[in-house]
Amino acid sequence: MNWIRIAAADDLQDDEVRAVTVGSARIALYRSEGEFFATDNRCTHAEAQMSDGYLEDGCIECPLHQARFDIRTGAALCAPATEPLRTHAVRRDGNDVYIADPAA
Ligand code: FES
């Protein structure tokens, strides 16, 4: 698996989400209880960025119509979204956070 460094771990606080571009992929990077997760940044319902949403208790709330998604699985937890977010593998090595190449 090809890993790409995308952030320093201490750049994000818990319950913070950030937009990251990896090649042509737009990714939302989340920190929750000291762990890192990543999904596609575009909401599966319409044109909204999950990185503009509200992160709490491992769920991201879309800023446009308030659908909620599990950041670990990408599952849509409530309407109006029904399709899951694509998730991406993330690993931490010291203060460096890596994502599995989304193009692979
Ligand atoms: S755009 Fe995200 S819930 Fe509608």
Side-chain angles (χ1 to χ4, degrees):
M1 190 173 288
N2 187 26
W3 294 96
I4 299 168
R5 184 186 182 280
I6 53 171
D10 59 10
D11 282 351
L12 277 79
Q13 303 298 311
D14 274 334
D15 293 331
E16 187 175 346
V17 55
R18 169 176 301 180
V20 179
T21 300
V22 182
S24 62
R26 295 173 183 265
I27 303 294
L29 176 67
Y30 311 92
R31 179 172 175 154
S32 177
E33 298 182 352
E35 292 187 69
F36 291 84
F37 304 92
T39 69
D40 283 354
N41 199 17
R42 183 182 177 278
C43 185
T44 59
H45 176 244
E47 293 289 340
Q49 305 299 305
M50 306 316 297
S51 56
D52 294 331
Y54 178 68
L55 177 61
E56 185 179 60
D57 295 334
C59 296
I60 184 72
E61 183 180 86
C62 178
L64 193 52
H65 306 116
Q66 288 73 53
R68 299 177 78 232
F69 298 87
D70 185 318
I71 62 171
R72 294 171 186 265
T73 66
L77 302 175
C78 66
T82 57
E83 297 296 318
L85 293 167
R86 179 186 177 200
T87 59
H88 301 274
V90 174
R91 72 175 176 88
R92 179 178 179 174
D93 183 5
N95 195 43
D96 296 317
V97 180
Y98 298 85
I99 189 171
D101 186 350

